[in-house]
Amino acid sequence: MRQTTMAKPAEVERTWYVIDGEGQTLGRLATTAAHVLRGKHKPTYTPNVDCGDYVIIINADKVNMTGNKLETEKYYNHSGYYGGLRVRTAKEMKEKYPVEWVRRAVQGMLPTTVWEMFSASTFWFTPETNIRMQHRNLWN
C-alpha cells in the first residue's frame, strides 16, 4: 500500500517560471499563473503548505481580451471617501495600467485565504520583454 506524500515547508523547492503574455488571452494567462503560484503542477501539492513557484510575467501590455470585453468590462476602485468611486473600462486599464490589469486577473484566480498574501509576493510583472534574471536572487 502506498502512502500519500505530504509536503513540508522546509522541503519545498521553488523554481522560476517566465510567462510571455504576448498574444495570450487574459483569463487563460491568469489561470496558468495562478496554477503555478499555488503549486498544483507539482506531484507533491499539499493544500495547507505554500509549495508554489515564482512567476514572472513579461509583455503584460500585449495581453488580449476576446469579444467586446475591452469596452464592456469594468474595474471598480473606491477611495473610502464619499463620491470616491472610480470606474475604468478594460481598454483604459490596458492602455494606462497594463501591469495592474494583469495583476488583478491573477490575484482574482487565487483563493482569498491567508495564502493569498504569500502568493502575491511570489509573482512579478513587467511590460517589457527584457528582464534581468541575474537579479532574481535578490527577490528570494
Side-chain angles (χ1 to χ4, degrees):
M1 191 156 124
R2 294 189 177 183
Q3 192 168 3
T4 304
T5 57
M6 302 295 281
K8 295 178 180 69
E11 297 173 355
V12 174
E13 293 182 15
R14 296 178 186 271
T15 57
W16 290 82
Y17 283 85
V18 178
I19 301 174
D20 189 9
E22 186 173 2
Q24 291 196 25
T25 308
L26 179 66
R28 294 188 184 267
L29 174 75
T31 53
T32 304
H35 195 77
V36 172
L37 285 169
R38 288 278 305 195
K40 289 193 166 190
H41 63 290
K42 295 182 178 181
T44 59
Y45 169 71
T46 308
N48 61 333
V49 176
D50 184 21
C51 54
D53 291 327
Y54 298 107
V55 174
I56 300 172
I57 297 179
I58 60 173
N59 292 326
D61 55 342
K62 296 181 179 121
V63 176
N64 300 325
M65 279 185 124
T66 58
N68 62 346
K69 291 184 202 143
L70 283 173
E71 287 82 23
T72 58
E73 189 80 20
K74 299 201 184 312
Y75 292 90
Y76 299 96
N77 280 25
H78 201 284
S79 66
Y81 292 101
Y82 292 112
L85 181 65
R86 183 176 56 218
V87 181
R88 292 186 177 128
T89 62
K91 185 175 186 178
E92 188 178 348
M93 288 289 286
K94 182 179 178 179
E95 291 170 358
K96 293 182 181 176
Y97 312 101
V99 173
E100 176 68 18
W101 184 51
V102 176
R103 187 197 63 79
R104 280 188 180 197
V106 173
Q107 200 164 8
M109 299 285 177
L110 294 172
T112 55
T113 61
V114 176
W115 299 112
E116 179 183 19
M117 179 179 57
F118 296 116
S119 297
S121 65
T122 58
F123 66 95
W124 295 271
F125 303 94
T126 176
E128 305 98 27
T129 305
N130 299 330
I131 56 171
R132 295 178 290 171
M133 291 302 288
Q134 65 268 18
H135 296 298
R136 71 177 183 193
N137 292 332
L138 299 175
W139 294 340
N140 283 341

